[in-house]
């Protein structure tokens, strides 16, 4: 059974940082495209960052220069380091795994940026 479990969300003040983790089980992330998405209240889910296999990364314009996606294949975990957080970053953040056969989602972790 494939599971993606996110953690690391919470309440943070504007300008602060958080690191989200997504631990995968039942499947290896090594040859999978990993991504982070987010969904704010009343809005559609949107792409935040992706890490295709290898060292390539891609970011949505609103987070470029502030967020960093990385993966640790030994721990079968992908991370999202979020710096200089803004109130508009408030959302539920979801981990996504995609390969040639299937696609999986985590349950999401809430990130709230507020003073």
């Amino acid at each position: 059974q494939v599971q993606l479990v996110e953690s690391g969300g919470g309440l943070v003040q504007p300008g602060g940082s958080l690191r989200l983790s997504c631990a995968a089980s039942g499947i290896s992330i090594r040859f999978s495209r990993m991504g982070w998405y987010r969904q704010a209240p009343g809005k559609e889910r949107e792409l935040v960052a992706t890490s295709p296999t290898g060292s390539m990364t891609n970011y949505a314009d609103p987070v470029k220069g502030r967020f960093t996606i990385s993966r640790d294949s030994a721990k079968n975990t992908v991370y999202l380091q979020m710096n200089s957080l803004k109130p508009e970053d408030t959302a539920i953040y979801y981990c996504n795994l995609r390969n040639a056969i299937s696609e999986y989602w985590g349950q999401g972790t809430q990130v709230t940026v507020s003073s």
Side-chain angles (χ1 to χ4, degrees):
Q1 181 182 0
V2 175
Q3 279 193 313
L4 302 177
V5 179
E6 299 101 333
S7 60
L11 173 65
V12 63
Q13 292 186 343
S17 298
L18 283 175
R19 188 176 82 154
L20 306 183
S21 300
C22 171
S25 60
I27 192 168
S28 173
I29 69 170
R30 189 178 300 274
F31 302 109
S32 301
R33 171 191 178 274
M34 301 302 300
W36 286 96
Y37 291 72
R38 67 187 182 186
Q39 187 167 18
K43 296 187 177 181
E44 294 186 354
R45 191 173 297 188
E46 64 178 5
L47 174 69
V48 175
T50 60
S51 170
T53 57
S55 60
M56 291 179 59
T57 56
N58 300 292
Y59 299 93
D61 286 344
V63 308
K64 280 182 181 177
R66 300 188 296 122
F67 290 11
T68 303
I69 186 172
S70 62
R71 61 169 75 200
D72 184 335
S73 294
K75 294 183 178 180
N76 217 32
T77 298
V78 64
Y79 304 96
L80 184 68
Q81 178 67 44
M82 306 186 295
N83 299 326
S84 302
L85 283 161
K86 304 175 181 180
E88 51 263 44
D89 295 318
T90 295
I92 299 174
Y93 284 71
Y94 297 91
C95 178
N96 174 267
L97 182 152
R98 185 184 304 172
N99 58 29
I101 301 172
S102 302
E103 182 175 28
Y104 302 95
W105 292 90
Q107 82 289 350
T109 185
Q110 176 71 48
V111 172
T112 302
V113 185
S114 175
S115 56

